[in-house]
Every structure is written in C-alpha cells, then in structure tokens.
Amino acid sequence: PAEKRSRPIQEENLTPGDQKNMAFMGTIVVSGRGKGVVVETGTHSVLGQIARDVGELSVTATPLQQKIGKFSHLIGFLVLGSALAISILGLFLRMTIAEIFKIAVAASVAAIPEGLPIVVTITMAIGLSRMAKRNAIIRNLPAVETLGSTTVICSDKTGTLTKNEMTVKVIYDGRHCFEVTGSGYEPKGKILHEWEPTDTEVLREIQSVARIGMLCNESNLYQENKQFKVDGDPTEGALIVSAMKAGLNPEDEKIRYPQLSIIPFESEHGFMATLHSLDSKKLLFVKGAPEKILEMCTEPAAGGLPDKKKVLEIGEHFAEDGMRVLAMAYKEVQNDFR
C-alpha cells in the first residue's frame, strides 16, 4: 500500500509511483477515507495508457526463431560465396556463361536445407509430448522452447504465488507464547501452549487479546461457495479468524460490545482505536505497531509493571521469522469520555 496525501507537489514529470496526491483507476483503498476529483478517464488515465502500450507491443521472436534466422543468414552467405567461387572457377576453366550459371544454381539449391522447418517442428512436437506426460500443457509450440530457455523467473509473491491470505500463527500474552493451528480464513484450528491445548482459564485471557483484534477492525469474514473470504484487509481478516479459533463469535461479540466510535488506522500515528460500550462501562480497544502501543500502556494485562524491552524483543523475534507483528491494548474509560 502507498500512502496518499492531498498537498500539492511542486515537481514535474513524476512517475505514477511518485504522484502521492493521485489515486489511480484499477487500485483499491486499503484504509482511510477521503474525497477525490476525477481528472482523466479511459485511455487518458494511467491504467488506460498501460493498456494502450501493451496493445502496441510487437510480437517478439523466440530464442529458437532467432537462432534459426541467424543460421539461415549464414547459409545464405555460404551459398552466395559458393556460387561466386564456382563462377570464378568456371571462368578459369574457360566454361561458357550458360554452363557456369546452371552449375551455380544447382549447387545453391542443393545447399539449402529444405527439411529444416520440418525437423524443428517435429522436435518441438516431441518436447510438447514429453511435457504433456508431466501434466504441462502448452498450446503454442514456440512457448515450449521459450520456457526451456528461461533461466530466471521474477515474480511478485503477494497473491501471485500465494492466495494473498494472512494467518495468525503466534499469540504472546506478556508471559507465554501460544501457537495457533490452521491456515487461511477457514476458522478451524486450536490454540496450543507447548503443543498442548490451553485450559479454560488461560484461554479466557487469550480471548481478551483476540477480542480486541476482532472488534478493533473494519473488515468482515463471510462465506461464499463453501469458502471463507474476507471483505477488507487480509491482516484484519486473520484477526477475526484467530478470535473464532479462540471460541469467540463475531456476531455475538458485536452485539455485546457495540461500537460507539472509531479512529481509522493512519500511518502517521501507527494505530487504530475503537470505542465500545459494555453494560454501564465504556472500553477503548487499540491495535497497531508494538512500539506505538507500548508508549501508551501503563501495565500489561497480567498486571504489574510492563516489561517493554522484553515485549519488543519478542516482537523482533517474530519479525525475524517473517511475521507481521501487531500489539493489542484496552482501557476502561469514563462515561463522559470524548
């Protein structure tokens, strides 16, 4: 995601990626709110220009076609050289022009490999047949040779090689780390501690963390064609799924903790906050970057003085394992809170 702002930019001839005050057709809003003015449509938009440029691309010859072209040029030069050598030799032997021409033409025609295209086609067909036996079907024969000549493939991982799904794998409550089983948005899995199921009392403490992630949230989990999908940010969807694995029901929790107000996530302040009511109390739920959340906290959920250094070290260990780290916090506020 790219952060956008409404301030004018003085520089000119910027690339689309540097136009921080422009939102482009074909992209989606990940978070935040705002109003925009349409300045270009159709082929005049950046997406339209990309489509036009792609349509104007010429067909590129495959590596095999390029090699065959070079080989054909080489044969052509050899044939011309041979014909010239025959002509010079004929003149040296005092042959007539007609005889020299016939011999040069015959030699030139005989030197051209007429069966080369057939041999190439048969070779590629054999390669295609071998790939088909390995469950690789390609409709275009030159594509077989192009794929075989590829040495490096560069690809964007997010949503290309994967499903673009996030999954909560570890929960740290300030004292212990808990493993979360399951993957994707299927709400099937367990919360384990040292590979054993957690007891009821510990699970209740984990539910308080999972509840913040589920209610301090702007996304929704829904089921379509027997598959669970997320309407919104994948990370927030993963938080909803983890709360369901902890035994919480999203609909029941929303009724029990109705939302009164919200502060959407912005990169400037690094957190998101929601205000909820519970009976006669009001609760403030916050989630965001660990360093930002720890600055606001006075004590951990387990009580006592917060060991902020240890919490940050745990978060760094999670990040080193390729995880996205989020911190949760809450506070009971007065009814006259504004």
Side-chain angles (χ1 to χ4, degrees), residues 77 178 182 188 338:
F77 288 127
F178 299 88
K188 292 182 179 180
R338 293 292 184 268

Side-chain angles (χ1 to χ4, degrees), residues 10 26 38 46 49 98 150 178 200 210 224-225 242-243 259 273 300 302 319 326:
Q10 302 300 328
V38 177
V46 175
Q49 293 175 5
T150 302
F178 299 88
T200 304
E224 183 179 274
N225 297 328
S242 66
Q259 185 182 110
L326 288 175

Side-chain angles (χ1 to χ4, degrees), residues 275 280-283 331-338:
L275 180 65
S280 59
K281 300 183 296 184
K282 288 185 179 180
L283 296 176
K331 180 180 181 180
E332 184 176 343
V333 297
Q334 301 299 324
N335 287 329
D336 57 351
F337 175 79
R338 293 292 184 268

Side-chain angles (χ1 to χ4, degrees), residues 97-154:
I97 300 298
E99 291 176 337
I100 294 174
F101 178 76
K102 291 179 181 179
I103 295 174
V105 171
S108 300
V109 172
I112 297 175
E114 298 178 353
L116 180 61
I118 299 175
V119 172
V120 173
T121 303
I122 294 175
T123 303
M124 295 183 68
I126 293 174
L128 183 63
S129 176
R130 290 178 178 176
M131 294 183 69
K133 292 179 180 179
R134 299 185 180 184
N135 300 324
I137 305 299
I138 299 178
R139 294 186 299 175
N140 194 5
L141 283 178
V144 179
E145 192 274 334
T146 303
L147 184 61
S149 301
T150 302
T151 56
V152 177
I153 298 177
C154 299

Side-chain angles (χ1 to χ4, degrees), residues 321-334:
D321 291 337
M323 298 183 187
R324 177 177 296 178
V325 185
L326 288 175
M328 313 293 176
Y330 77 94
K331 180 180 181 180
E332 184 176 343
V333 297
Q334 301 299 324

Side-chain angles (χ1 to χ4, degrees), residues 103-323:
I103 295 174
V105 171
S108 300
V109 172
I112 297 175
E114 298 178 353
L116 180 61
I118 299 175
V119 172
V120 173
T121 303
I122 294 175
T123 303
M124 295 183 68
I126 293 174
L128 183 63
S129 176
R130 290 178 178 176
M131 294 183 69
K133 292 179 180 179
R134 299 185 180 184
N135 300 324
I137 305 299
I138 299 178
R139 294 186 299 175
N140 194 5
L141 283 178
V144 179
E145 192 274 334
T146 303
L147 184 61
S149 301
T150 302
T151 56
V152 177
I153 298 177
C154 299
S155 179
D156 176 19
K157 183 186 75 65
T158 307
T160 304
L161 302 180
T162 64
K163 297 180 180 180
N164 193 25
E165 294 180 349
M166 300 290 289
T167 306
V168 175
K169 303 300 294 183
V170 182
I171 298 176
Y172 178 65
D173 67 347
R175 294 177 298 181
H176 304 97
C177 290
F178 299 88
E179 300 84 15
V180 183
T181 63
S183 62
Y185 297 135
E186 184 78 17
K188 292 182 179 180
K190 298 180 180 180
I191 298 179
L192 309 177
H193 176 53
E194 295 182 352
W195 304 108
E196 294 183 358
T198 55
D199 54 37
T200 304
E201 182 179 354
V202 176
L203 185 61
R204 189 178 298 109
E205 295 180 0
I206 298 176
Q207 285 179 346
S208 63
V209 179
R211 181 179 292 109
I212 297 173
M214 181 175 62
L215 296 179
C216 187
N217 201 306
E218 290 189 286
S219 301
N220 294 297
L221 184 70
Y222 66 96
Q223 192 171 10
E224 183 179 274
N225 297 328
K226 297 182 179 181
Q227 291 185 345
F228 286 89
K229 298 182 180 180
V230 169
D231 180 16
D233 184 73
T235 301
E236 292 189 338
L239 295 176
I240 298 175
V241 175
S242 66
M244 297 174 67
K245 293 177 181 178
L248 299 178
N249 185 293
E251 300 302 326
D252 294 343
E253 295 298 321
K254 289 180 180 179
I255 295 175
R256 185 184 177 191
Y257 297 84
Q259 185 182 110
L260 303 178
S261 183
I262 180 174
I263 300 177
F265 177 84
E266 296 292 344
S267 58
E268 289 85 358
H269 45 69
F271 66 88
M272 173 185 176
T274 54
L275 180 65
H276 301 265
S277 64
L278 176 64
D279 300 330
S280 59
K281 300 183 296 184
K282 288 185 179 180
L283 296 176
L284 183 65
F285 291 158
V286 184
K287 81 170 190 294
E291 57 274 10
K292 292 290 185 180
I293 301 301
L294 286 174
E295 291 178 1
M296 309 176 190
C297 293
T298 57
E299 62 179 81
L305 296 176
D307 191 348
K308 298 182 179 180
K309 182 178 180 181
K310 181 180 179 181
V311 174
L312 290 176
E313 288 179 353
I314 295 293
E316 290 177 359
H317 293 325
F318 291 162
E320 290 174 356
D321 291 337
M323 298 183 187

